[in-house]
Amino acid sequence: MKKHNFNAGPSILPRIAIENSAKAILDLNGIGLSLLEISHRSKDFQAILDETVALFKELLNIPAGYQVVFLGGGASLQFCMIPYNFLNKKAAYLETGVWAQKAIKEAKFFGEVNVVGSSADKNFSYIPTGYEIPGDADYFHITTNNTIYGSEIRYDMDSPVPLIADMSSDILSRPVDVSKYAMIYGGAQKNLGPAGVTFVIIKEEMLGKVERKIPTMLSYATHTKEPSLYNTPPVFAIYTCLETLRWIKSLGGVKTIEAMNIRKANLLYDAIDSSKIFVGTVAKENRSLMNICFVMKDQYKDKEDGFMEFAKTKGMIGIKGHRSVGGFRASVYNAMPFESVQALVDAMHEFEKMTL
Ligand SMILES: *Cc1c(COP(=O)(O)O)cnc(C)c1O
């Protein structure tokens, strides 16, 4: 049976990226060696790294003055590296979910943290508005897509201080005005590649402003001076990112990807909104195009397990909602085909008919 992979992360990747990565493991570009057994300082890997950075810059239209580096440690290590490198006295954070909270926790080790807005009061079902970003903060940190709750900041905001964004789960899902950000980062394993690599887009101007001493591996300056090659980078994971970037380019770039994402998300949100038994959990204006969360209406709550079982028989994988939200979450990242979303919607309709 065809599987429809709605996993939240690690998650679906373009089939072609997986196939080409498998080929590179067996024999990289016909050189007679596996991608897994070449030096990260070889010209073969340097070519891979250069193309990955160049494509990343091209697809996101990254202006001069920014570097793209690939590191280990996940987005979670960035939660600590960001304040280590940039927080002199005070930083501002927007609290929109568990990942934002984890970033806030790390920042508190280094200085004063001003949580300017929070949606914790309603289980992070919306994005706060009307907050003020203090002009004397060293930076303002946001999480553009809240993977667990299914809310998203889908525009590039103005900030009076350097803006830093965790884009782990919506990178490359839409065009971004990178010039509005001082740094964009994320784990690759949701929209870009396999687990094990973290992308960091950093404005060079941000470096060297804090007074504290920073351990070598935790300093961005280390990784921009010898781009992604201070130590051994996650070679294999970077290669698969390259294959995903090539796939995005072959489709016509992030503008095309965005149109595909809107079409997929509309299909599912329309099904939720017109349903008698399902209901969305996020404020409509803040709905994510990447993680679509819904539950059963109160009078049908006892049918949730039944739908989960039914969906399983239709090949649906990974639609169980995060335990802090319950219900269902369909992660419809870039690589998710329209047909899989259609299959989920068909299953919802069929189940609804059986239920009513
Ligand atoms: C998954 C996720 C993280 C955590 O990423 P790791 O690479 O596992 O550290 C952080 N932020 C967001 C928005 C995520 O979706």
Side-chain angles (χ1 to χ4, degrees):
M1 185 187 23
K2 179 163 172 47
K3 298 279 202 242
H4 304 287
N5 183 1
F6 291 95
N7 279 329
S11 42
I12 190 165
L13 287 170
R15 189 67 207 169
I16 185 83
I18 293 172
E19 283 171 3
N20 287 344
S21 299
K23 281 184 200 152
I25 284 182
L26 294 173
D27 184 357
L28 177 66
N29 303 330
I31 64 171
L33 292 171
S34 166
L35 167 64
L36 305 183
E37 55 185 5
I38 60 167
S39 166
H40 61 293
R41 310 224 176 257
S42 64
K43 68 175 184 355
D44 293 300
F45 183 68
Q46 189 65 55
I48 290 166
L49 185 58
D50 289 346
E51 187 185 346
T52 310
V53 170
L55 264 181
F56 216 113
K57 287 187 170 174
E58 178 188 333
L59 291 169
L60 278 181
N61 207 1
I62 299 174
Y66 287 80
Q67 280 206 37
V68 177
V69 294
F70 296 98
L71 308 175
S76 300
L77 184 59
Q78 298 306 306
F79 296 163
C80 131
M81 279 176 72
I82 288 163
Y84 219 143
N85 283 263
F86 305 136
L87 202 168
N88 261 319
K89 216 170 158 267
K90 180 164 91 177
Y93 278 73
L94 192 62
E95 188 186 24
T96 53
V98 159
W99 296 119
Q101 284 179 325
K102 288 186 172 171
I104 289 165
K105 178 180 171 214
E106 297 306 303
K108 284 181 177 166
F109 288 114
F110 297 94
E112 184 188 339
V113 175
N114 188 337
V115 177
V116 297
S118 172
S119 48
D121 59 337
K122 289 186 181 161
N123 198 28
F124 302 115
S125 58
Y126 69 101
I127 303 286
T129 53
Y131 52 83
E132 222 165 288
I133 306 161
D136 61 344
D138 295 314
Y139 61 86
F140 176 44
H141 181 280
I142 59 173
T143 314
T144 52
N145 188 66
N146 298 284
T147 321
I148 292 173
Y149 311 89
S151 69
E152 188 175 13
I153 301 170
R154 216 148 60 72
Y155 67 97
D156 306 309
M157 65 172 71
D158 294 309
S159 167
V161 300
L163 180 63
I164 297 180
D166 175 356
M167 292 199 189
S168 292
S169 51
D170 62 352
I171 189 72
L172 295 156
S173 68
R174 65 173 178 92
V176 166
D177 181 355
V178 175
S179 71
K180 289 202 164 175
Y181 299 84
M183 181 175 144
I184 296 171
Y185 71 97
Q189 68 273 19
K190 294 170 182 140
N191 228 352
L192 180 60
V197 63
T198 311
F199 62 88
V200 175
I201 305 167
I202 186 168
K203 195 174 191 175
E204 285 156 0
E205 236 170 58
M206 288 294 287
L207 300 171
K209 287 195 184 158
V210 287
E211 279 146 37
R212 74 173 64 84
K213 290 200 170 114
I214 306 171
T216 310
M217 271 300 282
L218 298 181
S219 167
Y220 290 117
T222 302
H223 302 290
T224 54
K225 208 184 295 162
E226 292 181 72
S228 306
L229 284 170
Y230 172 74
N231 69 327
T232 318
V235 167
F236 170 69
I238 290 173
Y239 183 81
T240 306
C241 294
L242 170 59
E243 286 294 342
T244 303
L245 294 168
R246 285 175 173 166
W247 172 79
I248 293 173
K249 180 165 171 154
S250 75
L251 291 176
V254 283
K255 195 101 198 101
T256 313
I257 290 279
E258 180 184 42
M260 291 161 65
N261 287 335
I262 289 172
R263 185 163 167 258
K264 285 183 286 180
N266 281 348
L267 176 67
L268 186 46
Y269 281 125
D270 286 348
I272 293 166
D273 290 340
S274 61
S275 169
K276 292 193 172 68
I277 63 172
F278 295 104
V279 62
T281 54
V282 169
K284 281 194 183 169
E285 65 277 17
N286 300 139
R287 282 174 161 179
S288 167
L289 293 190
M290 297 284 101
N291 309 96
I292 298 180
C293 296
F294 53 103
V295 295
M296 274 177 172
K297 292 183 178 173
D298 286 344
Q299 64 269 40
Y300 299 107
K301 268 273 176 246
D302 60 329
K303 307 278 186 203
E304 284 190 345
D305 290 345
F307 179 66
M308 200 65 78
E309 281 309 305
F310 178 73
K312 222 177 261 172
T313 69
K314 302 280 182 188
M316 305 298 150
I317 306 292
I319 61 164
K320 194 171 174 53
H322 190 274
R323 62 188 180 281
S324 57
V325 180
F328 311 98
R329 169 177 54 176
S331 297
V332 291
Y333 297 119
N334 289 347
M336 170 65 61
F338 184 84
E339 296 69 43
S340 287
V341 184
Q342 184 66 61
L344 174 59
V345 166
D346 290 346
M348 290 163 69
H349 285 153
E350 206 180 318
F351 188 80
E352 183 160 338
K353 249 185 230 143
M354 284 160 35
T355 303
L356 295 179

